[in-house]
Amino acid sequence: MIPHDEDHIPTFDDAALEREWQAQESAMRRERLQLDPAGDDAHSRRYRLIARSLRQPLTESLPADFAQQLAARVGAIPSPAASASASFEFKLMLVLAATMAVAAIAVIAIYGSAWLPSFAALAPNPQAPATHWLLALAGCVGASWLLGLWQQRTHRHQR
């Protein structure tokens, strides 16, 4: 085992990364030796807190109010920067979806006459008995879906 005083210092291409690594290592060493944190700066105190947390054993179970804490985090109002970023990502996704739809329509218009008859041959014959059963199945699935939506809406209004 290598003593902690002789830790290998990796080479860094960026001086800022090296300073950050040195600050982390110094804080971890000071925490390990239990030196007085009075002279530490804010970064060192945070790194020492992380080092202290990592050295403590995990708790046996979740806290009693874990669900409430998690719900509060999830339900927290996002910052304006986060909502602006999400809005931008949503707009970008819409542009991508529209581009994909236009490309699909263009491909169908250009090459559809060559491969569309093959798909038409796969469709069931409208006069076959199986077609009536497929329509009945689709009707049952649709009715179940609509009934589920109706139940959710009435249950939501009763609260």
Side-chain angles (χ1 to χ4, degrees), residues 49-118:
L49 179 64
I50 292 170
R52 190 175 316 124
S53 298
L54 290 174
R55 291 183 69 165
Q56 294 176 352
L58 295 174
T59 58
E60 293 294 323
S61 63
L62 296 174
D65 61 341
F66 174 75
Q68 290 175 340
Q69 291 176 6
L70 187 61
R73 285 185 191 171
V74 170
I77 299 172
S79 66
S83 62
S85 173
S87 174
F88 173 73
E89 290 173 1
F90 182 73
K91 289 176 185 173
L92 195 59
M93 183 184 65
L94 285 178
V95 168
L96 179 62
T99 304
M100 295 285 286
V102 168
I105 291 169
V107 166
I108 290 172
I110 294 170
Y111 301 108
S113 61
W115 51 264
L116 207 52
S118 300

Side-chain angles (χ1 to χ4, degrees), residues 28-59:
M28 284 178 45
R29 187 171 290 116
R30 289 179 60 80
E31 182 62 30
R32 190 179 321 115
L33 297 174
Q34 297 179 351
L35 298 176
D36 185 26
D40 291 348
D41 61 348
H43 269 90
S44 295
R45 284 193 299 270
R46 278 186 264 155
Y47 290 140
R48 285 183 74 158
L49 179 64
I50 292 170
R52 190 175 316 124
S53 298
L54 290 174
R55 291 183 69 165
Q56 294 176 352
L58 295 174
T59 58

